[in-house]
C-alpha cells in the first residue's frame, strides 16, 4: 500500500476541516428553525402500538380485558381502556438535489443576500429531520450513504452528508433504490432537470407503497424573469450559455413554460399519491418547513 502524496493529504485535510466547520452552523440553524414550528410532543397523536399513555376511552366490544384500567373504571359505572399513543417508528428518506443548478442565487449585489437554493434545501432537510427524529422516527437520505436511523447522532451524520454534497452536473435525479416498501420520502429540488427520470423514480416508489412530498425550491428571479435588453444566460455548471438582445421578449414564454413544468410536477405527484408545493428562497424558511411537516402528517393518516 502506498501513502498518499503530501499535497493530496494536505488537500484532504483542508476539505475535512472545511466540512467540520460547516457542521455546527448548519445543525444549529436547523434546530433553531425546527423550534419555531415544533408542535406538541410529536406528530403522531393517535392510538396505536406504543408505551406512552394517550387517553382513557370507554371500552368497546372486542377490547381485551388486559387493556381495561380497573382502577379508573372503579370510579364509574363504565369500564375504561387506556389508549396508548401510536409510536411505530417509520423510515423517512430525504433527497436534496445536489445539481449545480441548485447553487444559484439571484440576489442583486449590494443588497441583503438570499441563500442559494441548495443552502435553503439543506436547511429545510435537516430541520425536518430534527422534527422527525424528535417524533421517534428513523430518518436518512436517499442512496446508501445515510440509511434511516433514529437518534441525535443521526443528525450529525445527515449534516455531514448534506454539507459535503455538491454534484458536478447541472441537474440530478434521486437514487431511490434503497427506499424500502411503505417508507416515506421527501424530495427537495428545483426540478429543472429531466422530468422523465423523476417520473420513473416516482412510479417505482408508488409501486412499493412509498408516500411522500415534493417541494420545488426556486429563487424569485427564476419565477419573475425580470430581465430586459441584452442578457447572457449561463448555467451554474457552465455547460450552457445563451445570449439575447431582447430578454424582455422572452418573459411571457418563459413564464408559460415554467407554469407548464409546475403543472406537470403537480400531476406527477398526484399520480403517485404524493403532495407538491413551491417555495421561494426570498420567503422565510418557516413556512416551507411547516408545509413539509403538515404534508407528511396528512400523508401518514
Amino acid at each position: 500500500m502506498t501513502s498518499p502524496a503530501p499535497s493530496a493529504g494536505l488537500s484532504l485535510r483542508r476539505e475535512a476541516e472545511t466540512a467540520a466547520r460547516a457542521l455546527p452552523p448548519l445543525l444549529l440553524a436547523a434546530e433553531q428553525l425546527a423550534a419555531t414550528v415544533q408542535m406538541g410532543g410529536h406528530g403522531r397523536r393517535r392510538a396505536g402500538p406504543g408505551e406512552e399513555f394517550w387517553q382513557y376511552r370507554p371500552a368497546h366490544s372486542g377490547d381485551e380485558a388486559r387493556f381495561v384500567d380497573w382502577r379508573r373504571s372503579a370510579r364509574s359505572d363504565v369500564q375504561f381502556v387506556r389508549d396508548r399513543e401510536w409510536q411505530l417508528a417509520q423510515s423517512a428518506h430525504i433527497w436534496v438535489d445536489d445539481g449545480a443548478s441548485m447553487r444559484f442565487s439571484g440576489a442583486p449585489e449590494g443588497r441583503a443576500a438570499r441563500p442559494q437554493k441548495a443552502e435553503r434545501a439543506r436547511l429545510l432537510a435537516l430541520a425536518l429531520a430534527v422534527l422527525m427524529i424528535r417524533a421517534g422516527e428513523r430518518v436518512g437520505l436517499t442512496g446508501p450513504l445515510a440509511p434511516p436511523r433514529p437518534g441525535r447522532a443521526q443528525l450529525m451524520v445527515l449534516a455531514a452528508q448534506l454539507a459535503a454534497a455538491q454534484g458536478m452536473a447541472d441537474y440530478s435525479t434521486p437514487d431511490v433504490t434503497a427506499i424500502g416498501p411503505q417508507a416515506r420520502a421527501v424530495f427537495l429540488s428545483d426540478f429543472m432537470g429531466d422530468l422523465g427520470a423523476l417520473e420513473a423514480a416516482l412510479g417505482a416508489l408508488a409501486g412499493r407503497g412509498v408516500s411522500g412530498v415534493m417541494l420545488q425550491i426556486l429563487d424569485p428571479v427564476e419565477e419573475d424573469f425580470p430581465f430586459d435588453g441584452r442578457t447572457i444566460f449561463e448555467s451554474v455548471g457552465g455547460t450552457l450559455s445563451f445570449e439575447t438582445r431582447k430578454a424582455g421578449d422572452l418573459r411571457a414564454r418563459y413564464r408559460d413554460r415554467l407554469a407548464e413544468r409546475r403543472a406537470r410536477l403537480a400531476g406527477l405527484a398526484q399520480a403517485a399519491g404524493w403532495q407538491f408545493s413551491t417555495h421561494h428562497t426570498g420567503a422565510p424558511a418557516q413556512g416551507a418547513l411547516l408545509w413539509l411537516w403538515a404534508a407528511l402528517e396528512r400523508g401518514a393518516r
Side-chain angles (χ1 to χ4, degrees):
M1 179 181 295
T2 59
S3 300
S7 60
L10 181 60
S11 176
L12 182 61
R13 178 180 176 182
R14 287 174 177 170
E15 290 179 5
E17 290 175 346
T18 299
R21 286 195 298 270
L23 291 184
L26 176 58
L27 184 54
L28 176 61
E31 290 183 326
Q32 290 174 339
L33 177 58
T36 67
V37 299
Q38 178 70 14
M39 297 171 294
H42 63 67
R44 298 290 177 266
R45 299 291 295 176
R46 62 185 185 274
E51 299 299 325
E52 297 293 329
F53 168 72
W54 181 27
Q55 65 179 9
Y56 289 112
R57 65 165 175 81
H60 302 307
S61 175
D63 285 332
E64 298 181 33
R66 62 192 180 96
F67 293 126
V68 174
D69 188 293
W70 298 107
R71 179 176 297 179
R72 173 65 181 85
S73 301
R75 301 198 301 268
S76 172
D77 294 331
V78 178
Q79 292 182 344
F80 285 90
V81 169
R82 290 173 57 95
D83 265 344
R84 295 174 180 176
E85 190 174 354
W86 190 81
Q87 291 181 331
L88 180 63
Q90 292 188 325
S91 294
H93 299 254
I94 302 175
W95 173 60
V96 175
D97 188 343
D98 66 352
S101 69
M102 292 291 288
R103 299 195 290 274
F104 173 74
S105 173
E109 295 183 6
R111 298 186 184 179
R114 287 194 300 271
Q116 295 179 0
K117 293 181 288 184
E119 293 171 346
R120 178 58 57 85
R122 288 193 292 265
L123 176 62
L124 289 171
L126 196 55
L128 183 63
V130 169
L131 291 175
M132 299 180 79
I133 283 177
R134 286 177 183 172
E137 300 189 26
R138 298 187 298 266
V139 185
L141 303 178
T142 57
L145 296 180
R149 290 190 175 92
R152 179 171 174 78
Q154 177 71 347
L155 293 175
M156 296 299 294
V157 174
L158 298 179
Q161 291 293 328
L162 291 171
Q166 184 167 302
M168 300 301 294
D170 283 325
Y171 311 106
S172 69
T173 53
D175 176 6
V176 300
T177 55
I179 302 179
Q182 309 304 317
R184 292 186 297 163
V186 178
F187 288 177
L188 304 174
S189 172
D190 57 12
F191 297 111
M192 291 295 191
D194 177 19
L195 293 188
L198 177 65
E199 182 176 14
L202 289 174
L205 293 177
R208 301 175 210 164
V210 175
S211 61
V213 297
M214 294 164 43
L215 183 65
Q216 182 184 40
I217 299 175
L218 297 178
D219 187 277
V221 165
E222 296 173 309
E223 187 78 42
D224 300 333
F225 198 85
F227 306 105
D228 282 301
R230 181 176 179 272
T231 307
I232 300 175
F233 299 97
E234 293 182 339
S235 64
V236 177
T239 60
L240 300 173
S241 180
F242 174 76
E243 180 178 356
T244 178
R245 295 184 180 277
K246 297 181 179 181
D249 293 348
L250 303 176
R251 187 173 298 113
R253 280 184 288 169
Y254 170 85
R255 289 177 174 174
D256 287 344
R257 292 287 297 275
L258 182 62
E260 291 173 3
R261 175 170 285 261
R262 185 171 294 150
R264 185 177 174 193
L265 287 167
L268 291 176
Q270 184 177 20
W274 286 33
Q275 298 181 67
F276 171 79
S277 186
T278 299
H279 168 67
H280 298 129
T281 55
Q286 289 90 336
L289 180 59
L290 183 59
W291 180 85
L292 286 166
W293 182 244
L296 285 172
E297 287 299 292
R298 290 191 295 270
R301 284 172 166 77

